[in-house]
Amino acid sequence: MKTIFISLLIIFFSFTEYNKSDIRLRIINTNIRDNEKITFQIENNSKINYCFIIDTVFPIRSTDYYHDLNALINPKLTIYDGQNKINSIWVKDVSYDKNSQNNTNLDNYGHSQKYVKEDKLSLIFVKANSSVKLNIPFHLVVRENEETIIYYKLNDNEKYKCEIEYSVKKDFINKRFSNSVIDSVKKKGYKFFTDKLVSNKLPLILK
């Protein structure tokens, strides 16, 4: 019975359309710095032409703050501390305390640029046995408006590492894109990549 079960597993995995190692997400930078772009590469070493969905505008890529907008945060940035714990994004509401904005250390990492809140999706076509390089913005602090600051609460003496994650489900594609767009992707000979990829980790440089 055990032999039959093992044989069935081998047959099942032999018919999966790709192995996890065939599709790779890799950060090209040697380290991550505030206000610098993160360059990453999607490597398609499979035999299938894949279409990836990339959010090219959304500035805060690890927060639930804008999930009510049904925005796709992709790729998603994650920061880990020395104990491998995730450092979550913080939202500071300064609307009731105008002086608190001047009393924080946010300006050590911050800027005052205003961003578009809604995502802008791009379809990235990656042929079999090929790769593509992309850039995403990285900011430790975003002054969303006069009342709200979105930031990471970090310790200058702590050592942090960053990684990015790509994740798209089939349900999202069916809800977000029309049948004509989905059919167009198929006619071009591509298939939407619906899975999760995690990149390599790189040190975050604060100073």
Side-chain angles (χ1 to χ4, degrees):
M1 189 69 181
K2 184 177 180 181
T3 304
I4 295 175
F5 177 73
I6 294 173
S7 299
L8 288 174
L9 283 178
I10 294 173
I11 294 173
F12 172 79
F13 285 111
S14 65
F15 281 96
T16 55
E17 60 186 30
Y18 75 97
N19 295 318
K20 284 283 186 180
S21 58
D22 289 341
I23 313 296
R24 186 182 178 195
L25 178 63
R26 184 168 63 93
I27 301 177
I28 304 298
N29 308 54
T30 55
N31 53 57
I32 307 299
R33 294 179 181 271
D34 185 29
N35 297 324
E36 292 185 2
K37 291 181 179 180
I38 298 176
T39 301
F40 66 97
Q41 182 167 283
I42 298 176
E43 301 172 359
N44 181 8
N45 299 313
S46 73
K47 298 179 180 180
I48 299 174
N49 299 326
Y50 277 113
C51 178
F52 295 84
I53 304 171
I54 300 294
D55 165 15
T56 58
V57 172
F58 207 100
I60 307 301
R61 300 176 181 274
S62 345
T63 178
D64 296 330
Y65 188 64
Y66 291 126
H67 277 190
D68 58 329
L69 298 177
N70 294 318
L72 176 70
I73 307 173
N74 206 31
K76 175 182 176 182
L77 173 72
T78 305
I79 297 179
Y80 295 89
D81 63 16
Q83 288 71 47
N84 207 35
K85 294 181 180 179
I86 295 177
N87 189 289
S88 300
I89 202 81
W90 290 67
V91 178
K92 185 175 183 62
D93 187 347
V94 296
S95 58
Y96 300 105
D97 184 5
K98 298 297 183 181
N99 294 325
S100 65
Q101 183 172 324
N102 297 324
N103 292 333
T104 65
N105 293 323
L106 297 179
D107 289 338
N108 290 339
Y109 308 118
H111 58 90
S112 59
Q113 185 173 354
K114 189 173 182 180
Y115 287 93
V116 178
K117 289 185 178 180
E118 295 183 357
D119 57 341
K120 182 178 180 181
L121 304 183
S122 293
L123 300 182
I124 306 299
F125 297 91
V126 187
K127 290 184 178 181
N129 297 311
S130 65
S131 61
V132 62
K133 288 184 181 179
L134 300 163
N135 294 311
I136 56 173
F138 173 65
H139 302 290
L140 289 173
V141 178
V142 173
R143 192 182 305 280
E144 181 59 29
N145 51 51
E146 292 182 357
E147 299 181 347
T148 307
I149 299 173
I150 305 171
Y151 66 103
Y152 290 95
K153 186 183 289 186
L154 302 177
N155 182 350
D156 287 346
N157 297 320
E158 180 68 85
K159 292 183 178 180
Y160 298 96
K161 289 188 176 181
C162 300
E163 71 180 16
I164 56 176
E165 173 188 307
Y166 176 95
S167 180
V168 172
K169 295 181 179 179
K170 188 176 181 179
D171 290 344
F172 175 84
I173 294 172
N174 293 334
K175 291 178 181 178
R176 194 60 183 270
F177 297 99
S178 64
N179 290 333
S180 61
V181 173
I182 295 175
D183 290 340
S184 175
V185 171
K186 291 180 180 178
K187 288 179 181 178
K188 289 181 180 179
Y190 289 82
K191 183 175 183 178
F192 280 105
F193 182 84
T194 53
D195 207 334
K196 178 179 177 179
L197 298 171
V198 179
S199 76
N200 51 320
K201 288 183 181 179
L202 291 181
L204 172 62
I205 307 300
L206 297 178
K207 298 178 181 180

